[in-house]
Amino acid sequence: MPRPRTPLLSTGRIVETALTLVDAEGLAALSTRRLAAELGVSGPSLYNHFRSRDQIVEAAADAVSAQVDLSMFENGTPWREALREWAASYRAALRRHPNIVPVLAAGPGRRPAALRLADAVYGAMVEAGWPPAHATSVGALMRYFIMGSALGSFAGGFVGDETAYDPADYPHLGQAHLLAGRQEEIDERAFDTGLRALLDGLERQYEELTGTR
């Protein structure tokens, strides 16, 4: 039989399939055996591309980091607006792949796209005039906020049973059973509110540090 024009496996195809599996069923569902079955290959063939399951998970996580837009840090966008646009893009990527967020929350490690992201944010802040130590803090603060917003939903944490929150015990939660039904709206508004508050505070610090108004 003639040799196929394209190889049955590629690094990109493995990562894409792994991420699809994690998106659908969670990290616990990802094993080399399950992944090989999804790809229609034998398990050992994966090791021609990755040494272990952990390395596949790292690559899948980095594929999500690669989805985050960094162009605002390269085209001269003022630092506050750049952070706002980047935060929105970052959160959107995490919301598309919520089951991989715990891996990303552990830090960039050696993942190339995650390191490029950290480098872009830090570099842009220093270039904008933030002292290096404060630029590090800005990047860390933004990351905490964005990751936290993607790790769970405040509104989604309430049940839809109107009898669940007895006014005798929780006098201010009479409408809490309605929150889950408005989860997306509430979470979006909370993110926007928090982001605006963070940026307002950072702008005041920037003015104090740089003597600008």
Side-chain angles (χ1 to χ4, degrees), residues 134-207:
H134 288 82
T136 299
S137 297
V138 169
L141 170 65
M142 295 298 295
R143 185 173 172 278
Y144 297 153
F145 174 67
I146 298 163
M147 287 288 176
S149 75
L151 281 170
S153 165
F154 171 79
F158 292 87
V159 300
D161 180 0
E162 63 181 340
T163 67
Y165 308 108
D166 190 331
D169 296 320
Y170 316 107
H172 304 296
L173 296 182
Q175 302 296 306
H177 63 284
L178 301 175
L179 295 177
R182 299 171 55 199
Q183 177 178 334
E184 185 169 354
E185 172 196 347
I186 292 169
D187 289 349
E188 285 292 333
R189 188 168 65 242
F191 181 78
D192 290 343
T193 300
L195 182 58
R196 189 180 309 114
L198 277 180
L199 294 176
D200 285 347
L202 287 174
E203 190 161 32
R204 286 194 294 273
Q205 288 190 39
Y206 179 80
E207 291 171 352

Side-chain angles (χ1 to χ4, degrees), residues 4 14-15 36 48 80 89 99 109 112 118-119 123-124 126 129 138 146 148 156-157 190 201 203-204:
I14 293 170
V15 170
N48 293 325
R80 176 181 172 132
S89 177
N99 292 334
D119 182 73
V126 170
V138 169
I146 298 163
E203 190 161 32
R204 286 194 294 273

